[in-house]
Amino acid sequence: MKMANSSIIPIKFLILVGLANICVSQDFDFFYFVQQWPGSSCDTKQGCCFPQTGKPASNFTVHGLWPNFNNGSFPSNCKSVENSFDESKMSDIVPRAETSWAAFSCPSKKKTNSTNSDNMKLWKHEWDKHGTCSHSVLHQHAYFDFTLNLKDHIDLLQILLNNGIKPDGKNYSVEKIRQVIKEATGFEAGIRCNTDASGNSQLNEIVLCVDKSAASRSFIECPILPDANCPDNVEFPIF
Ligand code: U2P
């Protein structure tokens, strides 16, 4: 009987460990760290608006830090009572986020007379849609702080400028953009394109991958690159 009991306990234990692993693997596998080129939002059919603080500097800005699965799908809107967006936790984040994580969407005319984009609305949207799904690793303040630190660590515009790739409205090879980022960072980047109001393809977003542990400077090779939809050569719009 003793033998039987002691062999049952490890089986129960193994089942519990197995269940725990299933729960953890439901979480997410890695992050996409997505930076966008503002000029490629502003010259689209929809156009763009600037925050009350004015036109942001001519530089890449953060779009978001998105938890993802290795198969390319992603969790979203993992909202719960413990992780609802708290504006008061943003106070020391705001000055840095205004510079590096600005909003460019125009407000709905039905809701406001303002012509400014709303940074706080973007930050809340990114937290609600993506941040809440990595809450087990980064709580709200850490999520924004960590993402802004990533932005400070990788100067994409400087990397491109160093290699003669400038936001001058001319066309550049996507392969070359990928190559110079790989040389400077050590990692393959995802390049995402969109089209301007005349239908020209342009450089819209650059995506790097980050380890799910969110340890400092933990860029990794992407388990899967995001959809790109870029032709061989793309415009790098003026901003
Ligand atoms: O591509 C359009 C929007 O879909 C969301 N997206 C896309 C790819 C991906 O891997 N993960 C992801 O979240 C983004 O939504 P947003 O955060 O802007 O609401 C992306 O802009």
Side-chain angles (χ1 to χ4, degrees), residues 24 104 109 114 127 132 163 174 181 197 201 223 235 238:
V24 168
F104 294 95
K109 282 185 188 136
S114 165
W127 172 255
T132 53
N163 290 279
V174 170
I181 295 173
S201 288
E235 190 191 339
I238 295 166

Side-chain angles (χ1 to χ4, degrees), residues 32 63 66 68 72 74 125-126 129-130 192 205 226:
Y32 279 143
H63 182 167
W66 303 342
N68 253 262
F74 57 92
H125 166 82
E126 289 298 311
K129 183 168 176 183
H130 304 285
R192 284 163 50 98
E205 295 186 320

Side-chain angles (χ1 to χ4, degrees), residues 36-44 59 104 196 202-203 237-239:
Q36 60 182 342
W37 180 250
S40 301
S41 297
C42 294
D43 69 1
T44 57
N59 202 343
F104 294 95
D196 69 14
Q202 54 185 0
L203 172 63
I238 295 166
F239 180 69

